[in-house]
Amino acid sequence: MNIDLELKLVKKYPIIFSQYGGDIRYTCMGWGMTCGDGWYNIIDELCENVTTLIGNKSIKVTADQVKEKFGGLSFYYNIEVPETFMNNVSYIFRNAMFKTKLGRLYWIIVDFRKKIYRTTEEKIRDIIDDGQYKSYKTCELCGKPGKTRGQGWVSTQCKECWEKSIK
Ligand SMILES: [Zn+2]
């Protein structure tokens, strides 16, 4: 991605891109964002949604790697969730249930709870998946509607960009 566009995202979402090395690019995001400019809006929207979802919760999401892979957007991230009172209670509860051979019941309760309300972590996963889904329908080079083209080497592009690419 064009360095100016990358830096625009880094400035707009300083926490998410706190591992970004800036001009030096000498961090774990050392390669910068390795995808085309056409996905700028998708990444921008994705970060916006994550930021809104987190709100003032003390959860921290940082991007490890942003790249094109098999024609789609891969957004690898790290999530830090603070130790909370409820987490500690559920940890004690879990240990107690496993000690008394109620481990299976514990997992049934966990599944049930997940169905009732999804956690912030799961919602973040959904936002990332949604961004990837959109990338498969958006030209990586210009941002116009596109589709995944090619065999072996695949790339999501619009018709015009693809014709230029294969020349
Ligand atoms: Zn295009």
Side-chain angles (χ1 to χ4, degrees):
M1 188 182 281
N2 173 294
I3 184 79
D4 292 330
L5 288 176
E6 284 189 17
L7 292 177
K8 219 168 133 185
L9 289 168
V10 173
K11 269 190 196 138
K12 201 168 168 190
Y13 308 103
I15 296 167
I16 294 179
F17 294 112
S18 55
Q19 302 195 70
Y20 186 87
D23 289 325
I24 305 160
R25 298 185 171 193
Y26 192 67
T27 59
C28 91
M29 274 196 71
W31 299 103
M33 299 177 202
T34 49
C35 67
D37 297 351
W39 289 350
Y40 173 85
N41 286 334
I42 295 176
I43 298 168
D44 185 26
E45 197 189 358
L46 184 159
C47 294
E48 182 79 54
N49 290 340
V50 168
T51 307
T52 307
L53 175 70
I54 292 172
N56 55 9
K57 293 187 197 88
S58 47
I59 292 174
K60 194 176 160 195
V61 172
T62 53
D64 281 338
Q65 226 184 348
V66 178
K67 65 174 186 182
E68 180 277 336
K69 193 180 173 188
F70 307 128
L73 173 71
S74 280
F75 192 99
Y76 298 110
Y77 63 98
N78 178 49
I79 180 165
E80 279 171 47
V81 182
E83 233 181 74
T84 63
F85 173 72
M86 277 318 288
N87 283 352
N88 291 336
V89 168
S90 94
Y91 182 73
I92 292 162
F93 178 67
R94 178 184 191 275
N95 278 2
M97 288 196 90
F98 275 91
K99 268 186 196 140
T100 50
K101 295 193 171 122
L102 289 168
R104 223 179 90 79
L105 179 63
Y106 172 81
W107 289 118
I108 292 167
I109 293 169
V110 169
D111 282 346
F112 179 71
R113 203 201 63 192
K114 274 189 183 166
K115 271 180 198 132
I116 303 266
Y117 61 92
R118 290 179 311 128
T119 65
T120 306
E121 283 175 88
E122 285 172 291
K123 287 179 188 165
I124 288 168
R125 181 75 260 166
D126 287 349
I127 292 170
I128 308 287
D129 286 349
D130 183 56
Q132 189 175 62
Y133 176 77
K134 283 177 187 154
S135 72
Y136 283 115
K137 294 174 178 301
T138 308
C139 176
E140 191 194 339
L141 302 180
C142 74
K144 283 184 196 155
K147 63 172 190 175
T148 307
R149 300 166 196 271
Q151 285 162 333
W153 176 73
V154 294
S155 181
T156 302
Q157 293 183 21
C158 67
K159 200 166 171 278
E160 294 80 57
C161 290
W162 181 247
E163 276 162 11
K164 278 184 230 162
S165 293
I166 54 174
K167 260 181 193 166

